[in-house]
Amino acid sequence: MLSALTQATPGRSFSFDELLALIATIGWWVFAIYAIIILIVTARQQGWTDGLLELLSMRVLLPLFGAICLSLISMALVFVQPQEVAVIVSVISPSGVRSQPFRAGLHWIIPILEHEERYPISWQTYTMSHTPTEGANLNDDSISARTSDGQEVRIDCSIIFRVDLQQAVRVYIDWQDRYTNDLIRPVTRSVVRTQVSQFTVKEVNSSARKDLEATLDQLLAQEFRDKGLVLDQFLLRDISFTPQYAAAVEQKQVALEGQQQKEYEAEQIRSLAAGRRDQLKLEAAGEADATLLRADADAKASVLRAKAQAEGLQAISDVLIKNRDLLTFDYIQKLSPTIRTMLVPNNAPLILPLQDLVQNSPLTSTLPLKTTINASATPLPPDKVGASATVTTTNQQNGKE
């Protein structure tokens, strides 16, 4: 009865059976005070013997009977919370317990001969960790295991579970309130050690960790199901290694990072070289294309010049065919300015000496013209038409004929 009073904490709403228990407790306190008052008053008036006998009178027994009734009613009524299930331990049951647990609601039991044991059916979490403030135990509670290659690892994990509503009677018979320390903890540690031994330390520290976690979840779910518990999830929270292995892994990772950095730098150099090579190829191809274009343009220009020259020569040829004396005329016009020329008829005598005509010239010669200049090409006096001429030249530059 006192326990029922201590369960009623401030700020918490009372259930019906707790209210009855509180009323019964208050009734007993009232009866006790009433009986003491009757005893003292009667003893002062009639003596202690009559006072004690007065406690057996109806005015005392009736309140006593009322307090007992209130207590029996409060003991007979059981209100089960929605997050609980109640197992009824019964003296009159052959197995000592009722076969079916009580679900949420108000139920009747036989006072004194029966009482309830409550189990939470809400999800609970049991954590094993090397950090004291995280786990259920205040010490290092992580699981020590060895991998298939002999490396020691320490595993932190959490198990989310609840009592199976249909097997609450079995949990009470097998484990009472010891299922956390005597079932969940040892079974989890054993299964984790067994499964970790199937993996290498490299696999445990890689993507295979997910496979390990999934395998442990399946195995523990089966183990707990057979014992009346439901596993919601197994969480592999952390995996730690020995200091020696951690240092070796760190050194290997640093070396790998350095190698990757060197490979990255080499790849950058190769990329720059490839870019430079492509640039040179493009420049060479551009120069080759430009050379081809210039050569093609020069060739076309040469063809055009040749065509123009051919057309010019053809025009000259056509003119010469019509008037061949143009060659002599062109020859005379293209004579050097240093050459002095005199045209005389070839049958005319030379009256003046050549030295008088050309002073300071040591050499003088008379060159016969091989071409006769007609009147149509070079106009002559009427009395000299058709006559041939003699050309006298003097070289004033080098004195040679």
Side-chain angles (χ1 to χ4, degrees):
M1 287 181 290
L2 291 175
S3 62
L5 182 61
T6 57
Q7 290 177 356
T9 58
R12 177 175 177 269
S13 60
F14 291 97
S15 61
F16 184 72
D17 58 340
E18 291 176 342
L19 182 60
L20 286 178
L22 180 61
I23 294 174
T25 302
I26 294 174
W28 278 104
W29 280 103
V30 171
F31 169 75
I33 294 172
Y34 174 75
I36 292 172
I37 292 174
I38 294 296
L39 175 63
I40 294 174
V41 171
T42 304
R44 285 180 178 181
Q45 293 177 356
Q46 302 177 10
W48 285 103
T49 303
D50 293 338
L52 293 176
L53 292 175
E54 186 65 24
L55 293 178
L56 299 177
S57 65
M58 293 301 296
R59 64 175 184 170
V60 175
L61 292 178
L62 287 177
L64 176 63
F65 180 77
I68 292 174
C69 290
L70 283 176
S71 297
L72 292 176
I73 293 174
S74 65
M75 294 171 61
L77 282 174
V78 176
F79 180 79
V80 181
Q81 298 289 339
Q83 68 274 14
E84 295 177 333
V85 62
V87 176
I88 307 303
V89 180
S90 177
V91 175
I92 60 177
S93 176
S95 60
V97 63
R98 290 194 185 186
S99 60
Q100 294 297 324
F102 284 172
R103 304 283 294 271
L106 189 63
H107 304 274
W108 289 94
I109 61 173
I110 301 174
I112 302 175
L113 300 180
E114 293 180 334
H115 70 277
E116 78 277 6
E117 294 290 340
R118 300 171 185 261
Y119 288 96
I121 57 174
S122 57
W123 295 110
Q124 306 175 60
T125 301
Y126 184 82
T127 298
M128 289 176 281
S129 174
H130 68 280
T131 304
T133 58
E134 293 182 353
N137 294 337
L138 298 180
N139 299 321
D140 184 359
D141 199 29
S142 60
I143 303 174
S144 176
R146 287 195 177 273
T147 61
S148 61
D149 50 357
Q151 291 292 333
E152 182 181 0
V153 296
R154 303 194 70 85
I155 297 176
D156 293 359
C157 62
S158 293
I159 302 97
I160 303 176
F161 71 99
R162 65 177 175 83
V163 175
D164 188 356
L165 182 63
Q166 303 298 330
Q167 301 189 62
V169 175
R170 180 178 179 180
V171 172
Y172 173 76
I173 295 173
D174 294 342
W175 305 103
Q176 294 82 52
D177 57 352
R178 299 177 290 103
Y179 57 86
T180 301
N181 291 326
D182 293 353
L183 173 62
I184 293 176
R185 176 183 170 82
V187 169
T188 301
R189 299 176 76 88
S190 174
V191 173
V192 167
R193 290 192 179 101
T194 302
Q195 290 305 309
V196 168
S197 66
Q198 307 300 317
F199 293 82
T200 64
V201 65
K202 186 176 180 180
E203 292 173 338
V204 170
N205 197 28
S206 66
S207 58
R209 170 175 171 171
K210 282 291 183 183
D211 298 334
L212 175 62
E213 186 176 25
T215 303
L216 289 172
D217 186 84
Q218 295 176 0
L219 293 175
L220 290 175
Q222 182 62 40
E223 291 285 342
F224 290 171
R225 188 182 303 113
D226 296 339
K227 301 298 187 295
L229 301 177
V230 177
L231 177 67
D232 177 65
Q233 193 173 6
F234 173 83
L235 300 177
L236 192 58
R237 303 174 69 243
D238 186 31
I239 299 177
S240 57
F241 306 91
T242 59
Q244 296 80 6
Y245 180 78
V249 171
E250 183 177 359
Q251 293 176 359
K252 181 179 178 181
Q253 188 65 28
V254 170
L256 181 61
E257 290 291 338
Q259 181 181 357
Q260 291 178 351
Q261 179 65 26
K262 292 180 180 179
E263 291 178 355
Y264 174 75
E265 293 175 356
E267 184 63 26
Q268 290 293 104
I269 294 174
R270 285 194 293 268
S271 299
L272 292 175
R276 180 60 180 167
R277 183 180 64 250
D278 295 339
Q279 180 182 358
L280 293 176
K281 285 183 179 180
L282 292 175
E283 292 177 355
E287 292 179 358
D289 293 340
T291 302
L292 291 176
L293 291 175
R294 287 194 296 269
D296 185 62
D298 292 341
K300 291 181 179 179
S302 298
V303 171
L304 293 176
R305 286 194 296 269
K307 287 182 179 180
Q309 188 176 4
E311 292 176 358
L313 292 175
Q314 183 62 41
I316 294 172
S317 177
D318 293 342
V319 173
L320 290 177
I321 291 174
K322 296 179 180 179
N323 191 351
R324 301 185 60 85
D325 292 335
L326 287 176
L327 289 174
T328 302
F329 178 76
D330 184 64
Y331 169 72
I332 293 170
Q333 285 189 341
K334 291 183 178 179
L335 288 175
S336 174
T338 60
I339 304 299
R340 296 191 178 185
T341 304
M342 178 182 293
L343 297 178
V344 297
N346 62 353
N347 56 355
L350 185 61
I351 300 174
L352 298 174
L354 195 57
Q355 291 81 0
D356 296 336
L357 294 174
V358 181
Q359 296 179 356
N360 301 325
S361 178
L363 295 178
T364 304
S365 63
T366 301
L367 298 177
L369 290 176
K370 295 185 182 280
T371 304
T372 303
I373 301 175
N374 339 336
S376 60
T378 302
L380 295 174
D383 55 347
K384 303 297 183 181
V385 175
S388 60
T390 300
V391 178
T392 301
T393 63
T394 302
N395 193 334
Q396 295 180 344
Q397 295 179 348
N398 51 20
K400 294 183 181 180
E401 183 179 352

